Structures are given as structure tokens and as C-alpha cells.
Amino acid sequence: MYKDNVKRAYRFLLMVGIIVVAFNLRPAITSVGPVIGTIRDDIGLSNWSAGLLTSLPLIAFAVMSPLAPKLGNRVSNERALLIGLILLLFGIAVRTVSLVALLFIGTLFVGLGIAICNVLLPGVIKEKFPEKVELMTGIYSTAMGTFAATASGVSIPIAKGLGLGWQAALIVWAIPAIVGILIWIYLSKKNKSNDDDEKVRYANTDANRMWKSPLAWQVALFMGFQSFLFYVTISWLPEILHDYGVSIGTAGWMLSMTQIIGLPFSFLVPVIAGKLKSQWAIVVFLGTSAISGYVGLLLGNSFVVMIICSLLIGIALGGVFPLALTFLGMRARTAKQAAELSGMAQALGYLLAAIGPIFIGYLYDVTHAWTVPLLTLIGVALIVITFGSLAGRDKYVLDD
């Protein structure tokens, strides 16, 4: 009885630990968008290099993602997640120094830390909660979205409302990182005594096969193009709305609203996806919502239109990312395959996503208008529908 109670307590704390890690996966990035103009003006950056503040973590995601399963295999998943949180905390602290070099170095470490946690969480869920993959994915993606939305909303009030500057708006997100570090220090030590739990070792035997799987590529490209949309929106939606006449503070809260409206979809989409053999209908619904939002911004710039478009975009972005995460578990037969697919999908996907904020910033620099950038986003949304429909088929990655 005592042993059962201890095991239940450990699993509960593990669930809490997963949720706290999820709290840390987006705020260090989404807090940048509303103050990106302030950072640009304060330090003297061009639009494309300001976009690099959002793209650089994605480049780090792409580099670190294939290595994260190997790190988890070498030191255990718990310790690897702890290392990721420590790197994140270091990056958050370093980038608040008003020097261009430290700003970008800190941003790079933020990306490295988040990448480790990003890749290992799907495998940890597949390993520890094999019968509840979709439910746990819904819970942690919703937790992730909640803090992402909060970070977007409070950046301007902290930076300008309280007069603390953009540095304070960014460093406040060291707090959940510290909480996560404390929890995973305990879990990493406790795990050593849980020898009855099955350990999943992420060997490399199927790694090359994964890169040869058409379905794995479809999952990876779906992950990449939906991430392209998400990070471009996080980076530039406040600037788009501001150019249309909305104050920068209101634009920051509208970005927050965009993410808040997506929270119910963050939870429901994985749960519904788990009940369906094919998820193409979900993909089409979410992709159409995204296209409608970007088309609306292209055709009209009244305040009502901007709100409706922000809501439509939020519904889409709130659903496609957790759906991509769900595919990492659903399209794999084992936790090992899920980790390998996660590493591949996030490496390729985030390399593609990293292009987004820089490329859209460059298009705006060249055209001095948001027409071409918005047309580009509409085209990317169509690509998301295409690869999402293919990834949503009832198949497994190493069976094709």
C-alpha cells in the first residue's frame, strides 16, 4: 500500500512537472513580439535583424532537436529536462543586458533550452502515460498556450505601463524556469529509485529509417509550416495592427487575445483527434480559419475586422500546434519512435519555421507594406492544409 501511494505521488508530481515545463516552452519567445519594436529602436536593429530575435531560438531548435533524444538516453529524460530548464534560465538572464551580442547569445541559449524540453516531452508522455497520450498532450499544450498568451499580454504593461523597460518584461519569465528547475531536481533524483518503472532508451537503430519515411516527412513539414505561421504571427502581428492604427499596447493585448481564444482548441483538438482514425477534417477546418484571418487583414483594417481576424487566426494557431504534437505520438508505435520522430520533426520543422520572422521582416523592409507578407502567409496556410491532411492519415511512420 505504501509503495503504491509513493508511486501515485511520484506520477502526480511528474504530471505537475510536465505542466510546469510546458509553462516554460513559449513565454521567453512570445514576450518578445509586443516589445520587438522597442528593442529594435533601443538597440538600433533593422526589421530583419529584429525578426532574428524570434527566429534564432527556432534555429537553436533545429540544431538541438536531433541531439536531445541522445542527451535523454545518456543522462535520463529527467536530467535532460533539468538541463534544458537551466539553459533557458541562463539565456533569459543574459539577453536582458542591453548589448547586441549578449541579446543574441542569450536568445540562442533560450532556444537551446526550450528545444531539449520540446523534443523530450512527447517521448516522456508516451513512456509515462501511454494510455493517455492525447489527453496529456491536450493538457500540456493548453498550459503552454496559457503562459504564451499571458506573456504577450503583459509585456507592454510591464515595459511601459510600469516603466520597467523591455528588460523587465523579458526577465520576469525566469520565475517559472526556476520553479521548473526545483521540481525536476527532485524528479531526477527520485527517478533513480523507481527501478520498477520501464526505462526507455533512445537508441539510434531506427534513426536513419525515420528520415526515409514519407509519413515522417509529412509530419515534419506540417510541424514546420504551422510553426512558420505561429512565429511570424507572434513576431509581427502587433506591428501589423499598430501600422493599421492600433496603439502598441492594444496590439499586444490583441496578440494575447489571439492566443487565449486558441486555448480551448489546444485542449480539445488532441482529444478529438484521438477519437478519429483520420484527422484531415480537423486540419482543413483549422487551415481555413487561418486563411480567413489573413485574408481579412489583407482586405480590411477596421478595428472590428482586426478583432475578428485575430480571433480566426487564434483558433487556427491554437489547434494546429497541439495537433502536430499529437501526431508525434499517434504516428509512432513506441516511445522510442515518438522521440525519434519528435527529434526529426522538430529539427526539420523549426529550421523551416526559423525562416518565417526574418523572411516576413525582409519582405516588409523591401515593400514597406504588409500586402506581400500577408499573401505569403495565406500561401503557407494552404501548404499547412496539404501536409496536415497527409500526416493525418491512419498510419505509422516506420510501417510505410
Side-chain angles (χ1 to χ4, degrees):
M1 179 67 70
Y2 173 76
K3 188 175 182 180
D4 289 341
N5 289 336
V6 170
K7 191 170 184 178
R8 279 196 293 268
Y10 170 77
R11 285 175 64 83
F12 175 76
L13 186 59
L14 183 64
M15 185 182 300
V16 173
I18 289 172
I19 293 172
V20 172
V21 170
F23 286 160
N24 284 279
L25 294 182
R26 290 296 175 267
I29 299 174
T30 60
S31 58
V32 174
V35 295
I36 196 169
T38 304
I39 298 172
R40 175 193 61 202
D41 297 340
D42 186 32
I43 299 184
L45 302 174
S46 63
N47 279 310
W48 76 265
S49 58
L52 188 59
L53 292 175
T54 305
S55 289
L56 193 57
L58 307 183
I59 296 171
F61 290 0
V63 173
M64 179 57 71
S65 291
L67 305 178
K70 298 178 182 179
L71 178 63
N73 186 42
R74 181 177 294 272
V75 302
S76 83
N77 290 332
E78 290 79 1
R79 289 182 179 177
L81 288 172
L82 177 59
I83 291 171
L85 290 169
I86 291 172
L87 291 176
L88 171 60
L89 178 61
F90 176 78
I92 291 173
V94 168
R95 73 174 181 179
T96 56
V97 181
S98 298
L99 295 174
V100 173
L102 292 181
L103 177 65
F104 286 111
I105 289 172
T107 299
L108 179 63
F109 274 93
V110 164
L112 293 174
I114 293 176
I116 294 172
C117 300
N118 259 340
V119 171
L120 292 182
L121 269 186
V124 169
I125 290 174
K126 185 78 172 181
E127 174 189 357
K128 301 293 187 181
F129 304 95
E131 303 300 322
K132 299 180 180 179
V133 171
E134 294 83 8
L135 177 62
M136 285 299 300
T137 301
I139 291 172
Y140 100 74
S141 62
T142 302
M144 185 192 315
T146 300
F147 267 57
T150 303
S152 296
V154 303
S155 285
I156 292 297
I158 291 175
K160 295 188 176 181
L162 298 178
L164 299 178
W166 61 265
Q167 295 91 340
L170 300 187
I171 202 169
V172 70
W173 300 107
I175 296 173
I178 293 171
V179 174
I181 287 170
L182 295 175
I183 292 175
W184 284 93
I185 286 175
Y186 175 81
L187 287 172
S188 64
K189 293 180 178 179
K190 185 69 176 175
N191 187 58
K192 293 187 294 185
S193 64
N194 291 339
D195 294 330
D196 55 325
D197 286 346
E198 180 185 358
K199 299 292 191 297
V200 176
R201 310 302 290 176
Y202 299 129
N204 297 320
T205 53
D206 291 327
N208 290 331
R209 286 185 62 199
M210 191 65 70
W211 285 89
K212 296 176 181 177
S213 165
L215 181 57
W217 276 90
Q218 290 154 11
V219 171
L221 290 171
F222 176 64
M223 170 73 78
F225 283 109
Q226 67 81 25
S227 293
F228 185 108
L229 292 179
F230 177 82
Y231 287 103
V232 166
T233 302
I234 291 300
S235 298
W236 293 117
L237 183 60
E239 289 293 309
I240 293 173
L241 299 176
H242 184 50
D243 279 5
Y244 284 177
V246 175
S247 72
I248 192 62
T250 301
W253 278 112
M254 289 177 70
L255 176 61
S256 181
M257 178 191 68
T258 298
Q259 295 170 80
I260 291 171
I261 194 65
L263 292 180
F265 295 88
S266 294
F267 179 77
L268 291 174
V269 164
V271 174
I272 295 172
K275 298 181 182 298
L276 301 175
K277 283 192 173 183
S278 174
Q279 292 76 38
W280 70 269
I282 300 176
V283 172
V284 171
F285 168 74
L286 295 173
T288 302
S289 181
I291 291 172
S292 300
Y294 294 124
V295 168
L297 289 177
L298 184 65
L299 300 179
N301 57 9
S302 71
F303 188 68
V304 173
V305 169
M306 285 187 278
I307 290 178
I308 294 173
C309 293
S310 297
L311 293 176
L312 289 171
I313 293 169
I315 290 170
L317 299 183
V320 288
F321 179 67
L323 183 59
L325 292 177
T326 305
F327 283 160
L328 300 180
M330 293 181 70
R331 301 283 86 92
R333 289 193 180 275
T334 66
K336 173 176 170 291
Q337 289 181 7
E340 291 170 351
L341 177 60
S342 180
M344 174 192 169
Q346 298 201 48
L348 181 64
Y350 284 121
L351 180 61
L352 181 59
I355 299 171
I358 301 175
F359 182 59
I360 295 301
Y362 172 76
L363 290 178
Y364 181 75
D365 281 339
V366 171
T367 63
H368 303 290
W370 291 108
T371 302
V372 174
L374 286 170
L375 286 171
T376 302
L377 294 178
I378 293 168
V380 171
L382 289 170
I383 297 174
V384 167
I385 292 175
T386 300
F387 285 111
S389 298
L390 293 171
R393 293 172 296 164
D394 185 20
K395 298 176 64 177
Y396 293 97
V397 285
L398 296 184
D399 292 350
D400 53 15

